[in-house]
Amino acid sequence: MNRTILSNIAFFSMFALSIVFSNVSVAADKLLIDVEMPRMNVAEYHKPYVAIWLEDSNRKATQIALWYDLDMKDNEGAKWLKDIRQWWRRIGRSSQQPFDGLTSATKGPGKHSIVVDLTSKHLQSLPKGEYQLRIEASREVGGKEVVNIPLQWPVKSSDYPLSASGSTELGSIKVSID
């Protein structure tokens, strides 16, 4: 074969491969969630309790993270978890406490990151479909706020990053994959 024909075959082969691979979604194994807690100019500030979960279209919830006061004597902080109202109704009151593996201390003003392992057993079993990533904050002597971010499950790299913003208790929220 002459060079022109070989060159054209190579070009069209590469072109065909690029079309095939442009429609392939890169599998992600981590969901990165950045949550900003705004600085507030108030006389009495308490760090908010925060719950993060996935909720399907049937309102079935899957816990992602929970921030509350772990250091109180006799686990006294757990009694205030019911103030994270929507989370409490979906997950909290029926879950076994303590919330091992999901919890961490409350967070003050600033940006905080969560890395979610998408290969974990409880996330691998989620059915395909439309979901809401829900972030709820509740603060003593303060307000309550829920931010919802719609997403498709399983995640596809072409859908990210996602972002939303709260207006009082939560600031900017960014969701990306790695």
Side-chain angles (χ1 to χ4, degrees), residues 40-90:
M40 299 187 171
N41 189 13
V42 294
E44 186 178 347
Y45 179 81
H46 298 271
K47 295 176 187 173
Y49 280 24
V50 176
I52 301 172
W53 71 97
L54 280 172
E55 190 170 298
D56 69 14
S57 58
N58 295 322
R59 298 179 84 167
K60 183 175 185 267
T62 302
Q63 185 73 51
I64 300 293
L66 180 63
W67 302 339
Y68 72 100
D69 197 340
L70 300 166
D71 297 330
M72 292 181 84
K73 185 177 173 186
D74 298 326
N75 200 27
E76 187 76 15
K79 94 175 189 181
W80 302 107
L81 287 172
K82 62 183 169 252
D83 287 346
I84 315 172
R85 290 186 182 146
Q86 289 187 34
W87 169 82
W88 183 256
R89 289 181 194 129
R90 304 285 190 291

Side-chain angles (χ1 to χ4, degrees), residues 97-128:
Q97 295 181 26
F99 298 97
D100 288 336
L102 306 167
T103 59
S104 66
T106 56
K107 314 282 187 210
K111 291 190 180 193
H112 307 284
S113 297
I114 300 168
V115 177
V116 180
D117 180 7
L118 295 175
T119 64
S120 67
K121 191 175 180 178
H122 81 287
L123 293 177
Q124 286 287 313
S125 65
L126 289 178
K128 182 179 180 179

Side-chain angles (χ1 to χ4, degrees), residues 139-157:
R139 192 169 50 83
E140 182 183 358
V141 192
K144 299 175 188 330
E145 183 169 32
V146 180
V147 173
N148 299 309
I149 301 174
L151 56 86
Q152 290 291 319
W153 198 266
V155 300
K156 294 185 301 185
S157 60

